[in-house]
Amino acid sequence: MANLFTQRVIELISRIPEGKVATYGSIASYAGNRSGARQVARILHSSSEKHDLPWHRVINRVGKIALPEGQGKLQRLLLEEEGVIFKNGRVDLEKYLWQPENPPDTTPEADSIAHSILWPKEEDF
């Protein structure tokens, strides 16, 4: 079973609407780890197909595609098909950046409750 951060990342990415983008860092922050941008990239790499995630809607913090050329071209094409416009190789984050209306609750209390639900102790049975 995936850890709580991974579950939040998957849930957030699945909610990015067509024609919008999020950054690796913004997803990490909304999921409860402001320094977890690289983790978000790893989760995308390992979970996009399994969870049918819109992987192409996640870009770097300056509005650029961070993938190697072949995948990067596909990502740009998919975003352009959704109406996202690139200028000088960048997406205008002021215009296209998605911000969730109801981000996951990442307070310590919420983490504790979620942890107890996801990983109950033996005596809870």
Side-chain angles (χ1 to χ4, degrees):
M1 178 176 272
N3 68 36
L4 191 55
F5 177 75
T6 298
Q7 290 176 345
R8 287 177 177 155
V9 167
I10 290 168
E11 189 258 325
L12 284 162
I13 293 170
S14 70
R15 290 172 43 195
I16 303 170
E18 190 173 307
K20 291 289 186 179
V21 298
T23 66
Y24 297 98
S26 68
I27 294 293
S29 184
Y30 287 128
N33 181 356
R34 291 189 316 198
S35 61
R38 288 180 192 257
Q39 286 178 275
V40 170
R42 283 192 287 277
I43 293 165
L44 265 175
H45 179 74
S46 65
S47 301
S48 287
E49 192 171 314
K50 178 180 177 183
H51 296 281
D52 196 28
L53 296 176
W55 60 270
H56 61 286
R57 296 182 187 143
V58 183
I59 60 177
N60 74 18
R61 64 186 172 93
V62 295
K64 288 185 162 187
I65 290 173
L67 296 174
E69 185 145 336
Q71 291 174 313
K73 284 183 179 180
L74 174 59
Q75 184 177 14
R76 181 175 177 147
L77 176 68
L78 291 170
L79 287 171
E80 288 176 336
E81 286 177 354
E82 294 182 355
V84 176
I85 297 170
F86 286 78
K87 185 174 181 181
N88 299 321
R90 292 182 182 201
V91 172
D92 180 353
L93 293 176
E94 286 188 28
K95 182 173 184 178
Y96 296 104
L97 185 65
W98 171 74
Q99 297 178 356
E101 290 181 25
N102 300 307
D105 186 352
T106 58
T107 60
E109 297 81 18
D111 281 353
S112 177
I113 292 167
H115 191 276
S116 67
I117 292 169
L118 294 170
W119 298 283
K121 299 176 194 152
E122 276 189 40
E123 59 265 18
D124 291 340
F125 292 103

